[in-house]
Amino acid sequence: MINFNPLSLFQTKGKIKKVYREAKASYLNRIRFAVGMFYFGMGLSFATWASRIPDIKTALHLTEGDLGSILFALPMGQLVIMPFSGKMVTKFGSHRILVFSLIMYVLCLANLGLATTAFQLSVGLFLFGLFGNLANIAVNTQGVYTEVLFKKTIMSSFHGMWSFAGFTGALVGLGMLALNLSPLHHFMIVGAIVIVMVAFNFKFLVRAKEKIKHKTSEGKKLFVKPDSTLIWLGVIGFCSMASEGVMFDWSGVYFKDIVQAPGPLVILGYTSFMIMMASGRFLGDGLINKFGRERVMQISGVMISAGLFTAVFLPYIIPCTIAFMAVGLGVATIVPTVYSMAGKNPTVPPGEALTIVSSVSFLGFLMGPPVIGHIAQNFGLQFSFAFIGIFGVLIAFMVSKIRVP
């Protein structure tokens, strides 16, 4: 029977070896550092690609519509591997798959620098998305097992490492632009750095016995109406991740084509966005504890809209830099908060709840950037940013429609 919910394959239950549970705190911290570095490596690789999109767009003489179509290749690669990622992680172990997929991820990154035609870039992005999804499933599985060892919530710090890597990648990209290095040389240097990180940390990944319990389909409905609260949370996550994805792929293009920032400053918008998103994720728990989830999420939604609309109506370097910082702060806490709320849903098991919410949310990250490219082709890039700006208002409105614990 066809599996209508391939994300259910990702729900693994691992039995962690006793040696880990009895390990000293210093060794557990080394494990945490190692897993964090894999998150960092993934974020650095993705940010490296995003930081050179404007240069690749110019080198290949692509229009906004062309770039939007090509960007569809990345989510297509992720969607193709999605039904198999969980099975591969279960069969071969998340630690093995993570090492393999991250190495392939950086090789695909270097390959993007070799593209001389739109078709070659599309194929490269397809493979980049494919191995990126495989690495994402494996690294988050490692994150779950590490969290079990520490017996406290540390997952947000891992995602903070991914965001910090995005900021680092933007700074490295700024340096590479100042040195007039081509995207190929830039990608190869970053790829070599990530491979060295893998070499120093792979021995400390958690080795857990993973298995998936296969359930029979007898008497089981193909379609079950999900909890309405989870749908609201999924849509909120969709709006946030769509905004985040657009900033990743289009902030550099916006600064180059609309703001017309000179030289290396073209990456300033992306850098400012990443700085504030990373900072917001490390500080988010404290803000939520002080002001409450509902207020923080509503303010975050307003900040997303305010930032994007400011960039549209004041397309100058300083206002746009401040605006993109506001967007970074806005998206920082929404998705982690949404996932936390979903996992505490009283009527649906945490795994199933997170599957529903993450499926809807991630769709925004995948589909937002390509759709924006086509909107920009027909109506202009400023109009497309204004369109995404509406999502922040929707977030603030929808938060009031759900019960926030």
Side-chain angles (χ1 to χ4, degrees), residues 136-308:
N136 181 57
I137 298 303
V139 78
N140 277 292
T141 302
Q142 281 289 310
V144 169
Y145 291 146
T146 307
E147 193 172 62
V148 170
L149 293 177
F150 276 81
K151 300 178 181 179
K152 63 179 181 179
T153 301
I154 60 173
M155 184 66 76
S156 60
S157 65
F158 287 142
H159 287 269
M161 287 295 292
W162 192 93
S163 299
F164 179 69
F167 161 63
T168 303
L171 281 184
V172 172
L174 187 63
M176 297 296 178
L177 285 171
L179 295 173
N180 292 319
L181 288 181
S182 67
L184 174 61
H185 291 115
H186 179 183
F187 295 168
M188 290 179 67
I189 291 171
V190 171
I193 293 173
V194 173
I195 289 177
V196 170
M197 289 168 48
V198 170
F200 276 95
N201 291 286
F202 78 94
K203 290 184 179 180
F204 297 95
L205 293 177
V206 180
R207 288 160 174 77
K209 187 176 181 181
E210 299 163 350
K211 62 182 180 179
I212 297 177
K213 294 182 179 180
H214 298 280
K215 298 179 181 180
T216 59
S217 58
E218 295 180 3
K220 189 176 181 180
K221 296 181 180 179
L222 286 177
F223 301 100
V224 179
K225 183 179 179 181
D227 186 280
S228 60
T229 300
L230 297 178
I231 295 298
W232 280 110
L233 290 173
V235 176
I236 291 172
F238 176 94
C239 293
S240 178
M241 294 198 77
S243 304
E244 183 178 335
V246 167
M247 294 301 293
F248 271 116
D249 288 358
W250 287 99
S251 58
V253 177
Y254 194 89
F255 256 63
K256 185 171 185 177
D257 293 350
I258 305 301
V259 179
Q260 296 183 346
L265 290 181
V266 71
I267 203 173
L268 184 59
Y270 177 81
T271 305
S272 61
F273 166 77
M274 288 304 306
I275 290 174
M276 300 314 292
M277 185 174 73
S279 301
R281 285 186 170 166
F282 284 116
L283 299 174
D285 290 337
L287 293 173
I288 290 173
N289 290 332
K290 185 174 182 179
F291 300 107
R293 296 178 187 272
E294 181 174 0
R295 182 173 297 179
V296 170
M297 292 180 72
Q298 287 177 331
I299 293 175
S300 297
V302 171
M303 291 183 70
I304 292 173
S305 292
L308 289 171

Side-chain angles (χ1 to χ4, degrees), residues 23 37 51 229 274 287 298 332-333 354 361-362 386 395:
M37 292 308 294
S51 70
T229 300
M274 288 304 306
L287 293 173
Q298 287 177 331
T333 58
L354 288 171
S361 300
F362 198 59
I395 290 173

Side-chain angles (χ1 to χ4, degrees), residues 4-11 79 82 133 136-137 226 230-231 233-239 241-242 335 338-339 342 351-367:
F4 288 94
N5 184 16
L7 281 175
S8 63
L9 298 174
F10 304 160
Q11 307 303 321
L79 290 172
M82 192 173 287
N133 178 268
N136 181 57
I137 298 303
L230 297 178
I231 295 298
L233 290 173
V235 176
I236 291 172
F238 176 94
C239 293
M241 294 198 77
V335 170
V338 163
Y339 285 2
E352 296 179 20
L354 288 171
T355 297
I356 296 170
V357 173
S358 62
S359 299
V360 178
S361 300
F362 198 59
L363 187 63
F365 189 80
L366 296 180
M367 303 302 295

